[in-house]
Amino acid sequence: MLDAATAWVARHREQLNRENVFPVPDGDTGTNLTLTLQAVVEAVGGSSPDDVRAIWARAAQAALAGSRGNSGVILSQFMAGFAAEVTSAGRLDASVLPKAFAAGAGKSQSAVAEPREGTVLTVARDVAEHVACLPVSVGFDAMLSAACEEARDSVQRTPELLPVLKEAGVVDAGGWGLALYLEGLLKGFRDVQIPEFDPPAEAVAPVPVGYAKGEVPAVEHGFDIQFLAHHPVNPVDQMRAELQAMGEYGLVEGNEELVKVHVHARDPGAVLSWGCASAFITDVVVENLDAQAAAMAKDRVSRQDQGTVQVLQPARSDELALVAVAAGPGFAELFESLGANCLIQCNDTYNPSVGQFQDAIRTAGGSHVLVLPNHSNALPAAQAAVAGLPPTSATVIDTPFVLSGVAAMYRFEPSGGPRDAVVGGMQEAADASVYGSVAKSVRNSGSERGPVLEGQFVALAGGETVLGGWSRVEDAVDFLLREYLQPRFAAIQQGQAEFLTAYRGADADPDQDAAVEALVAAATSLDLEWVDTRQRNHMYLFAIE
């Protein structure tokens, strides 16, 4: 059942990611749930199939240790409550299932500081209440099937309960993920085999975005064209010369009976027309190289987003130690230079697991470890990690975005006095930090100024609030500076603010730096400093420092 649930969620990973209402990748729901459940499968793989107590106890423990992001942590809490009832009873049947669902819903609810209707918590509660009304006599299969149906219905109701979902035209991704998890359990119970990969309808290569309707996207790499040419009218050498003039990596090999043709070209139609005029062609293959490159890059991110723990320099036993999450090599270098003892390095999104936070805390050294999650999506895993350790082990500084983490680091003193004073100073700096960013939207979304379309440039206040979308990056930067950061410049200039730091992402065009500098100069009198972060999700990040 757990194997099938993991496979079923993984199969819908990208669908769940696309359902996210936030327009910038930040460790999306599908990724977080898949990685969380994969940790479960690894942990229970060696269990005896007859030992229900051991299976569910290990599953709950692994789900917590491997949980990532809000969705992963909530699912781990649901599984913990569910598992507690199963292990207590020593069995999983129709008499235990309602109690397990109720316990799972209750524990997941208690894990969220400010629960809201229209989320996964609502779906879990609806399922528990629905199953509680069923008689035990219906049997386990029918009861679990009814739970799946109610979960689906509850997910469809989420936009009516949470306005942001209705505005974006999506359902709650976490609730949908829970519904898929339950469906997977049912499929496993029924011994339904789940294909390893998505069906073709879910495996469509990504299409370039950011162009107006009616325009043809620019082709950078072109197309890979291959076919067999039967009984060609011209010699092979002549065909080779003609083909090589039409594109790159031209290959024509064979004889007067059969020739294999392969080339990379911008216009596949011209190559195919030439082929039809030259021979009777079969086995025609045309693949978009731009789409392949985008798919490979996406897959590379998916394989790297689990993150790694890197110990830089363990703190002395009489010092405070610091663990920081860093996305992109530039931010990793910055946190190291500011005195971090251990880093959890993520590729582009913030998906550290509870176990990774605990590993980092254990290896950072020091008398006490301060943890900077540096993203709201990493905060639940950090808090769960610290909750599972002795109270004197570590403290989480609430840094909801990487720039609030940088602000906190400026107040970090390993030997700076009482721990509470250092923690208080760092939290105060994080709370008072002023920052914003500009990124490219990867999905349709909503904002304070109205709808945001996929491919537009979005301005983000404080890393999360979407201010609006624009077709030009300069317009997004200008709006962010004038409408969000500029009012804060005036309020803070009488204090300790000395300069504005612009953090340049990997996708930012250096040729635009001059335009950005001019916009900054027009918005504030603060000096401008540049930092190259080489992270991919945000093109520009700005902070008053």
Side-chain angles (χ1 to χ4, degrees):
M1 289 171 68
L2 290 167
D3 282 344
T6 302
W8 192 238
V9 171
R11 191 165 178 256
H12 293 80
R13 171 175 172 162
E14 292 308 319
Q15 284 181 297
L16 288 169
N17 284 347
R18 288 194 298 269
E19 204 72 6
N20 197 316
V21 297
F22 192 58
V24 181
D26 64 343
D28 290 339
T29 301
T31 297
N32 286 333
L33 292 179
T34 298
L35 295 175
T36 299
L37 288 172
Q38 286 175 346
V40 171
V41 169
E42 292 176 4
V44 302
S47 304
S48 168
D50 298 323
D51 192 347
V52 66
R53 283 190 172 93
I55 290 173
W56 285 97
R58 291 175 185 173
Q61 185 177 20
L64 177 60
S67 61
R68 300 166 189 270
N70 291 300
S71 55
V73 171
I74 292 173
L75 178 63
S76 75
Q77 296 305 298
F78 179 88
M79 293 181 69
F82 189 99
E85 289 294 329
V86 176
T87 56
S88 175
R91 65 186 188 279
L92 178 56
D93 56 22
S95 67
V96 176
L97 194 57
K99 301 175 184 177
F101 277 136
K107 193 165 182 63
S108 58
Q109 181 87 10
S110 64
V112 179
E114 298 180 0
R116 292 187 297 173
E117 291 298 317
T119 66
V120 59
L121 303 177
T122 304
V123 177
R125 186 191 66 223
D126 287 350
V127 168
E129 292 177 350
H130 182 75
V131 171
C133 298
L134 300 176
V136 175
S137 59
V138 302
F140 183 83
D141 185 290
M143 188 176 287
L144 184 53
S145 178
C148 293
E149 292 178 9
E150 176 60 23
R152 281 280 183 168
D153 291 343
S154 180
V155 169
Q156 294 304 314
R157 294 192 294 266
T158 56
E160 302 303 322
L161 300 173
L162 198 57
V164 66
L165 299 176
K166 190 170 187 177
E167 182 181 356
V170 298
V171 298
D172 180 70
W176 186 15
L178 177 61
L180 291 169
Y181 168 74
L182 298 180
E183 289 176 4
L185 292 178
L186 179 61
K187 289 178 182 293
F189 179 72
R190 293 175 173 175
D191 201 24
V192 175
Q193 298 301 309
I194 299 175
E196 182 176 355
F197 301 105
D198 288 351
E202 299 301 327
V204 178
V207 177
V209 296
Y211 56 92
K213 183 178 181 180
E215 294 180 353
V216 177
V219 174
E220 180 180 355
H221 301 290
F223 296 83
D224 181 293
I225 307 117
Q226 302 179 51
F227 55 82
L228 295 176
H230 301 261
H231 303 292
V233 298
N234 295 317
V236 172
D237 290 344
Q238 180 181 338
M239 291 181 66
R240 184 180 298 115
E242 292 174 350
L243 184 71
Q244 290 176 346
M246 302 175 71
E248 299 177 328
Y249 311 109
L251 180 149
V252 177
E253 298 294 341
N255 51 44
E256 60 184 12
E257 297 292 329
L258 183 65
V259 174
K260 171 69 175 181
V261 175
H262 172 271
V263 69
H264 289 183
R266 299 297 180 93
D267 183 1
V271 176
L272 293 176
S273 295
W274 168 83
C276 291
S278 303
F280 181 82
I281 66 174
T282 62
D283 294 6
V284 178
V285 176
V286 178
E287 296 180 313
N288 187 311
L289 294 173
D290 290 279
Q292 285 186 344
M296 290 175 64
K298 192 172 187 179
D299 180 64
R300 185 164 54 250
V301 169
S302 296
R303 285 184 280 109
Q304 293 177 356
D305 60 15
Q306 297 187 36
T308 58
V309 176
Q310 179 185 3
V311 180
L312 303 173
Q313 179 65 45
R316 298 198 312 263
S317 60
D318 61 341
E319 292 181 327
L320 293 174
L322 189 135
V323 170
V325 178
F331 276 121
E333 294 165 4
L334 178 59
F335 281 111
E336 180 177 6
S337 69
L338 292 174
N341 302 100
C342 185
L343 297 176
I344 303 177
Q345 290 187 275
C346 304
N347 186 45
D348 291 328
T349 58
Y350 291 78
N351 283 315
S353 68
V354 172
Q356 285 177 326
F357 274 114
Q358 291 181 337
D359 288 344
I361 291 169
R362 293 188 184 104
T363 56
S367 59
H368 190 81
V369 181
L370 307 182
V371 181
L372 302 180
N374 294 337
H375 199 282
S376 58
N377 206 43
L379 182 61
Q383 292 172 331
V386 171
L389 296 172
T392 58
S393 299
T395 300
V396 177
I397 309 294
D398 186 355
T399 52
F401 195 63
V402 64
L403 297 186
S404 58
V406 173
M409 281 296 302
Y410 286 137
R411 300 279 289 274
F412 174 60
E413 291 290 343
S415 304
R419 180 211 311 167
D420 290 346
V422 176
V423 170
M426 293 179 68
Q427 188 64 67
E428 180 183 10
D431 294 341
S433 56
V434 178
Y435 54 85
S437 61
V438 170
K440 178 175 275 192
S441 175
V442 298
R443 56 178 66 91
N444 294 336
S445 180
S447 75
E448 294 186 350
R449 298 179 66 251
V452 172
L453 300 179
E454 181 180 0
Q456 286 188 323
F457 298 98
V458 293
L460 301 165
E464 291 190 346
T465 303
V466 184
L467 300 176
W470 292 264
S471 58
R472 297 196 320 151
V473 66
E474 295 92 337
D475 294 334
V477 171
D478 184 56
F479 186 89
L480 176 70
L481 292 170
R482 291 184 180 277
E483 301 298 327
Y484 178 70
L485 291 178
Q486 186 182 45
R488 289 153 181 80
F489 295 155
I492 203 171
Q493 279 176 347
Q494 300 302 318
Q496 301 300 315
E498 298 178 356
F499 51 88
L500 175 73
T501 304
Y503 297 86
R504 185 193 298 108
D507 296 328
D509 185 353
D511 293 338
Q512 293 177 324
D513 286 357
V516 171
E517 290 177 0
L519 293 172
V520 171
T524 176
S525 59
L526 293 174
D527 294 333
L528 176 64
E529 293 193 4
W530 284 96
V531 175
D532 189 11
T533 66
R534 304 191 295 285
Q535 59 83 39
R536 293 198 172 277
N537 287 335
H538 299 264
M539 301 177 69
Y540 295 103
L541 304 99
F542 301 94
I544 303 173
E545 297 172 341

